Amino acid sequence: MVSVTSRCSCSRTPSDGGDTGRGEASIRSLPAPPSRVHQRGGRDLVEGGTHRGKSQRGGRDVIGEERSIKGNLRRWLGVKPLEARGTDLPYGVWLAARECPTRWTWKLGLDLTHKKQHNKLKLRKKSFILLASLGAVHVAAAVFRLIAFLSFGLHRPKNLRRRYGAWAVVTGPTSGIGRAMALELAAHGLNVVLVGRDPAKLRDVADAIARSHGVRTKTVVFDFSLVSTVQGEKAMAALREAVEGVDVGVLVNNAGVAKPGAMFLHEADMEPLMRMVRVNALALTKVTAAVLPGMAERGRGAVVNIGSASSGALPSFPLYSVYAGTKAYVAAFSRGLSVEYKSKGIDVQCQVPFLIETNMISSFMKGNFVSQFMVTSESYAHAAV
Ligand SMILES: NC(=O)c1ccc[n+]([C@@H]2O[C@H](COP(=O)([O-])OP(=O)(O)OC[C@H]3O[C@@H](n4cnc5c(N)ncnc54)[C@H](OP(=O)(O)O)[C@@H]3O)[C@@H](O)[C@H]2O)c1
């Protein structure tokens, strides 16, 4: 038994608290804290003249050190410092004794404190381990996703023709992103099936491709706003015929409209909005369904759907709610399809352009400050293919 109380110079003594008997009794009944700690603590307290006094070892302020960030963290985790390692006391108890043995023992009673502190520390340790494990899993998942993303970006196939097939189908290839994509795919040596609503514009793109890259082209006239009508079914049959027996490796679902533009839903004419849904969502689904059987049969292919940042990168796109809704469909459709067709060797991707300088966006962005940050459809296609 070590007479801790008698050596403490703490200003509060058992006598001024009026609880001397209980305090003394509890100290006497305590299991003796290891003499190493207490003797050093006692010496510090006596020789330093204060319970916050400097340690004899090089004048180090032990208590101050234990209250540092490192000390606090150690205390929180219940990791004892070297000086307390030889004891069987929990760290908090050891520290209390170190600081002011009299007050500590007298006020709390060691047995009770010991048990309480022990349980508390145990719980803290457990919750720390649990939280740390959850954090580690989360970080590992994020790192894995980043690595997968980078490896996908850095190892994209150089030879699309060999990897996926000799032909590409591009919808809406008559302007903007679609035209740039068709030319870029042709530059990679792919023949292109061009699907659009305007025969003259289709011819124009086909000529441009033949002139600059010398690959083969086919054109299919298809007004996507007529999908699921008699006329639309005829166009769909023409598309099926165009891809029948052709080694279609890449499908770019690009055609899309944003008209009638910004407006409140209750003020909008419903017909243009329904046309938008048919072009952006319904036709895209039907064209994909028409091209997939060949890809699945060959066990290879890539479907690239052009979505929009309006549904993914932005929290909301007011006044364009239907447009953003159709693009959210494209994103969800792509995610599902990607998993669905992975086992069949088909890659599915949804690209989400933000601001590309095209007919669709230039009209309402002209002169706008944001227009300075727009990229051309050619540089977009170059980066995307
Ligand atoms: N530009 C951007 O910043 C941006 C941002 C996010 C997403 N996007 C998406 O990117 C895609 C391409 O847009 P863009 O910016 O390149 O616009 P764009 O220059 O207006 O091109 C749209 C293409 O879709 C075709 N198209 C429109 N309605 C059609 C219909 N009913 N049937 C068949 N084809 C039709 C157009 O044909 P015509 O030439 O005959 O009109 C044109 O080839 C769209 O899906 C759009 O939502 C663009």
Side-chain angles (χ1 to χ4, degrees), residues 82-345:
L82 272 179
E83 287 156 275
R85 294 257 164 93
T87 79
D88 62 343
L89 297 178
Y91 178 45
V93 177
W94 173 84
L95 191 66
R98 183 94 173 80
E99 192 172 353
C100 181
T102 308
R103 186 167 56 176
W104 159 64
T105 49
W106 166 64
K107 244 183 135 182
L108 302 170
L110 177 60
D111 287 345
L112 200 66
T113 319
H114 189 288
K115 222 174 189 171
K116 262 189 186 169
Q117 291 268 13
H118 207 74
N119 289 344
K120 219 163 143 187
L121 290 172
K122 253 179 156 177
L123 197 71
R124 275 187 191 172
K125 255 186 198 167
K126 270 187 190 164
S127 52
F128 177 79
I129 289 168
L130 185 73
L131 287 174
S133 320
L134 283 175
V137 169
H138 191 74
V139 169
V143 169
F144 179 76
R145 273 203 302 272
L146 182 71
I147 291 171
F149 175 77
L150 289 177
S151 69
F152 185 73
L154 297 175
H155 295 110
R156 56 182 166 181
K158 286 196 172 68
N159 193 332
L160 292 176
R161 206 184 156 103
R162 198 180 312 145
R163 170 74 179 81
Y164 294 120
W167 283 79
V169 174
V170 181
T171 70
T174 46
S175 72
I177 295 172
R179 185 185 166 99
M181 289 285 242
L183 282 157
E184 191 65 35
L185 288 165
H188 278 72
L190 271 74
N191 306 311
V192 193
V193 180
L194 304 159
V195 188
R197 61 180 165 182
D198 186 326
K201 283 188 187 175
L202 284 173
R203 260 196 313 277
D204 179 54
V205 189
D207 289 348
I209 289 175
R211 259 198 321 275
S212 48
H213 303 296
V215 295
R216 291 167 62 197
T217 57
K218 287 185 184 188
T219 58
V220 176
V221 180
F222 194 163
D223 183 343
F224 286 154
S225 64
L226 300 175
V227 73
S228 290
T229 63
V230 178
Q231 244 177 307
E233 283 309 311
K234 267 190 197 160
M236 189 55 86
L239 174 61
R240 283 201 193 95
E241 202 180 311
V243 298
E244 181 85 55
V246 172
D247 182 15
V248 175
V250 179
L251 164 64
V252 181
N253 278 314
N254 159 80
V257 278
K259 280 180 186 159
M263 57 175 57
F264 285 99
L265 184 63
H266 73 278
E267 289 172 353
D269 187 358
M270 277 300 125
E271 186 40 38
L273 288 181
M274 291 307 109
R275 219 167 21 235
M276 186 196 291
V277 174
R278 284 199 289 272
V279 175
N280 293 6
L282 209 56
L284 175 138
T285 311
K286 283 204 143 191
V287 169
T288 309
V291 174
L292 274 174
M295 287 183 174
E297 203 176 297
R298 290 183 291 277
R300 61 179 188 172
V303 177
V304 178
N305 296 325
I306 307 294
S308 168
S310 63
S311 72
L314 301 177
S316 66
F317 202 45
L319 306 180
Y320 283 91
S321 303
V322 177
Y323 174 75
T326 62
K327 291 301 180 180
Y329 168 83
V330 174
F333 174 69
S334 308
R335 274 199 298 276
L337 221 58
S338 160
V339 179
E340 208 172 307
Y341 282 89
K342 209 176 185 71
S343 62
K344 298 193 187 304

